[in-house]
Amino acid sequence: MNVHDKANELAKALKESEEVQEITAAMKLVDADPESKRMLEDFRRRQNEIQQRMMTGDMPAQEEMEQMEKSFEVLSLNLSIRRLFEAERRLSTVIEDVNKIIMESLQHLYGGPAN
C-alpha cells in the first residue's frame, strides 16, 4: 500500500465532496454581488493580517479582536456570505475528523493505545 497514493485518493475525494461543492456554489453567489465580494475580501485581508501578526508573537488588541468579531457578525447577515461561512465550517469539520483519524492510527508510536 502506497501512502502517497492513498493521500491523493483522499485529496480527490475532498475535491469532489459535497462540502467543497457547496463552498464553490456559495463563492459563485458572493462573486456575483460586487459589494458582498468586496466586504468578504476586506474581512479576509484583515483576518490574514491578524493571523500573520499572531504567528510572529504580535497579539492583537482586544478592541481589534472585538471589531473582527463584529465584522463577522455583520457579514453573516448577508445570506450568500453566511452560506459560504457555514460551508467552510463543515469542510473544516471534515478535515479535523480526517486528521483525528490519522493521528489516532499513530498513537501507538507515542505510547498511546494501539488501534
Side-chain angles (χ1 to χ4, degrees):
M1 175 187 326
N2 184 316
V3 173
H4 291 97
D5 289 343
K6 293 296 181 184
N8 284 320
E9 286 179 36
L10 175 59
K12 184 176 186 283
L14 281 170
K15 286 180 189 176
E16 295 171 355
S17 71
E18 182 179 318
E19 292 81 6
V20 169
Q21 290 179 22
E22 179 61 24
I23 289 172
T24 302
M27 279 303 299
K28 286 180 182 176
L29 290 174
V30 171
D31 288 345
D33 177 17
E35 182 63 16
S36 294
K37 184 176 179 178
R38 183 198 60 74
M39 289 181 349
L40 180 62
E41 286 174 348
D42 182 54
F43 177 78
R44 299 271 199 214
R45 181 186 48 75
R46 289 185 295 144
Q47 188 178 43
N48 285 333
E49 288 171 2
I50 289 173
Q51 288 173 344
Q52 290 295 319
R53 286 178 27 217
M54 290 172 73
M55 288 175 22
T56 63
D58 180 14
M59 298 307 289
Q62 181 67 29
E63 305 84 50
E64 191 173 8
M65 293 305 291
E66 289 171 1
Q67 180 59 40
M68 286 300 294
E69 189 172 318
K70 287 178 186 173
S71 294
F72 178 82
E73 290 171 4
V74 169
L75 283 175
S76 294
L77 296 174
N78 178 303
L79 295 179
S80 298
I81 293 174
R82 180 173 40 202
R83 179 178 171 185
L84 175 63
F85 285 164
E86 289 171 355
E88 289 174 337
R89 182 189 49 75
R90 286 191 300 276
L91 178 61
S92 178
T93 299
V94 168
I95 292 170
E96 287 173 16
D97 291 347
V98 168
N99 188 50
K100 182 179 177 186
I101 292 166
I102 292 168
M103 295 311 295
E104 286 175 351
S105 76
L106 301 174
Q107 277 185 344
H108 69 283
L109 296 174
Y110 304 103
N115 289 336

